[in-house]
Amino acid sequence: MARLIILLPFLLNLLVLLLVDSRLDPAKVPTMSLEVDEQDSILTSLILQADVCHAYQVLKNGGLKDENIIVFMYDDIAYNENNPRPGIIINQPQGKDVYAGVPKDYVGENANVNNFFAVLLGNKSALTGGSGKVIDSGPDDHIFIYYADHGGPGVLGMPTSPDLYANDLNDVLKKKHAAKSYKSMVIYIEACDSGSIFEGLLPEKLNIYATTAAMATESSYATYCPWMHPALPPGYSVCLGDLYSVSWLEDSDKNNMAKETLEQQYKKIKERTSVNGTYNVGSHVMQYGNVRELSSKRLYLYIGYSKPHHKGSAAHAYRQDSLPTINQEPIDQRDASLVFFWQNVGVLSPKFIIPLFDLEIKLIVCLCFPYSLFLKFQRAPEGSSRRIEARKQLVEVMEHRSHVDDSIRLVGKLLFGDDRGLEILDAVRPAGQPLVDDWSCLKSMVRSFERYCGSLSQYGMKHMRKFANLCNAGVKAETMVKVSAEVCHTFPSNAWSSLRRGFSA
């Protein structure tokens, strides 16, 4: 999936880091390929990578130079066989190509946690591949980081294993501050449960302003999906963007960043992402860090700005008007990874519960996801190998999800009993507290589970709070090993459960 983008500009002492994990990995979203190692998907990768590429264009239009922008992405969707416009990526139904000119600083296996931290700290000696560009910043520089990926409580996805954990990111930010290598920093994060990355972890004294697409206990949402208006161009059966991301990107395209403040953009993003404050769908955009002092700063300090054609032009003055309302319902980002499949199986209403009958293995599966997994199947000719493969992959992805959900629930019941198991696993700590106190314990719990039960994949990241609560309840590492082995004598052989990419922690 599209994940991490780092953009690093030096205009007006500005550094920008864009990060996106856009790997088309079978454990994230599969395609029609028959080889397991090639079962990549264009869906969620397209969403997140499109967001990141659009962010690059915003920065370029703002006057930033490529040497001051650093981009992380897997970079495998522009020329993917499922892209209806090879070499072109769009982020809006009538949008222009946002892929053109995007730097390839850290792509493929070089888009990893180690390189991300090395770049952020300006440590060239710690790099393992890539362009070699780092944030070599000083005490007068402003840094902007935009990170788009899948997420879960306390964790952000990466195109390569392991994933990025909240404590590690905040530790690196503290090191960056201690080195006096920036004046202020702004971080935008697009991910499910992204508030948990900073909740109880980001001190105000670091002089960092952060906003997240969602609070610590909820999903973020994809938008510009096939069932929405305006209609997508011919050939597209995926969601084109994320609601939080397209909100800040389109606002930045539309308005003069020399006039608009971080707080003003935050309020507009919050309104649109909550679907006009209803929260019937959508998420709670959050603020963290030094909100009190930095929220009044002008956006041009962090993302540059396009100069008006005429001095005093009304078109380039700050506009308070809200962003366009999203027509029809956006989709939970975790389920966005199923849209490509749904669109290939049948044209279905976003809220329908869809029973699938007459599968070759005589399995009946009920899906409660919006509009997604079936278009791939629908568009494949009846009786064709593509249709058979689509049906097989549909069953496998649902088998993987069911296995992860059931296995984690069973772990809780074995540890705490039938009555208290789910209550303890689902407990949410009070606001202001981090997800867990012992992050090493959390990573140990994840590795023990995956060793016996298979990969969590991006879907299973949503259960990270349950693993944290095992630590918060005092469960020992050796106990978790024993229980995981008892719960999972084996795990599904499909690509989603495979550990070929290694442990996520």
Side-chain angles (χ1 to χ4, degrees), residues 143-343:
I143 298 174
F144 176 73
I145 297 176
Y146 169 54
Y147 194 118
D149 205 312
H150 283 287
V155 65
L156 294 172
M158 270 279 175
T160 56
S161 294
D163 290 325
L164 188 156
Y165 282 76
N167 68 309
D168 296 325
L169 174 59
N170 282 276
D171 286 347
V172 167
L173 294 176
K174 291 173 184 176
K175 291 179 182 178
K176 188 74 173 173
H177 179 264
K180 296 181 172 56
S181 56
Y182 67 91
K183 186 173 185 178
S184 68
M185 185 185 301
V186 169
I187 304 175
Y188 282 14
I189 295 185
E190 172 71 68
C192 293
D193 303 292
S194 45
S196 64
I197 301 302
F198 300 119
E199 185 81 27
L201 294 170
L202 182 63
E204 183 177 338
K205 66 181 181 181
L206 298 189
N207 209 35
I208 295 172
Y209 172 87
T211 73
T212 61
M215 61 183 182
T217 56
E218 66 181 353
S219 297
S220 60
Y221 282 75
T223 190
Y224 294 142
C225 301
W227 59 88
M228 302 175 74
H229 180 79
L232 303 188
Y236 284 88
S237 57
V238 300
C239 300
L240 296 182
D242 287 295
L243 189 50
Y244 163 89
S245 291
V246 300
S247 295
W248 82 260
L249 291 166
E250 290 176 10
D251 180 64
S252 299
D253 285 333
K254 172 182 174 182
N255 289 308
N256 185 352
M257 297 299 97
K259 302 290 185 181
E260 188 167 340
T261 68
L262 289 165
E263 178 70 16
Q264 288 166 335
Q265 185 170 81
Y266 162 75
K267 287 181 177 179
K268 288 191 281 187
I269 297 169
K270 180 179 179 181
E271 179 73 5
R272 191 185 193 191
T273 305
S274 67
V275 190
N276 298 322
T278 64
Y279 296 103
N280 293 330
V281 289
S283 56
H284 297 74
V285 178
M286 304 297 290
Q287 295 175 303
Y288 298 94
N290 190 2
V291 177
R292 179 174 52 86
E293 294 185 4
L294 294 181
S295 61
S296 61
K297 299 295 184 183
R298 306 288 182 183
L299 276 156
Y300 81 90
L301 285 171
Y302 304 97
I303 63 174
Y305 70 99
S306 299
K307 294 181 180 180
H309 296 296
H310 302 286
K311 187 175 181 180
S313 170
H316 289 84
Y318 170 67
R319 298 169 61 177
Q320 185 60 51
D321 43 319
S322 60
L323 291 165
T325 299
I326 292 296
N327 296 306
Q328 300 182 338
E329 294 187 0
I331 179 177
D332 184 318
Q333 192 193 71
R334 291 191 178 95
D335 295 333
S337 61
L338 300 176
V339 171
F340 187 57
F341 277 132
W342 270 333
Q343 288 291 316

Side-chain angles (χ1 to χ4, degrees), residues 14 38 55 85 102 125 130 154 214 249 251 380 411 425 435 452 472 504-505:
L14 171 62
E38 296 177 356
R85 297 180 183 177
V102 175
S125 64
L249 291 166
D251 180 64
V411 166
L425 291 182
L435 176 71
Y452 292 98
N472 295 336
S504 62

Side-chain angles (χ1 to χ4, degrees), residues 1-4 19-23 28 48 148-149 157-159:
M1 304 202 158
R3 300 204 183 216
L4 182 67
L19 304 122
V20 60
D21 168 11
S22 52
R23 176 172 184 147
K28 297 176 182 180
L48 295 170
D149 205 312
M158 270 279 175

Side-chain angles (χ1 to χ4, degrees), residues 379-390:
R379 290 182 175 177
E382 186 68 39
S384 68
S385 60
R386 289 180 57 214
R387 195 176 184 91
I388 294 171
E389 180 63 17

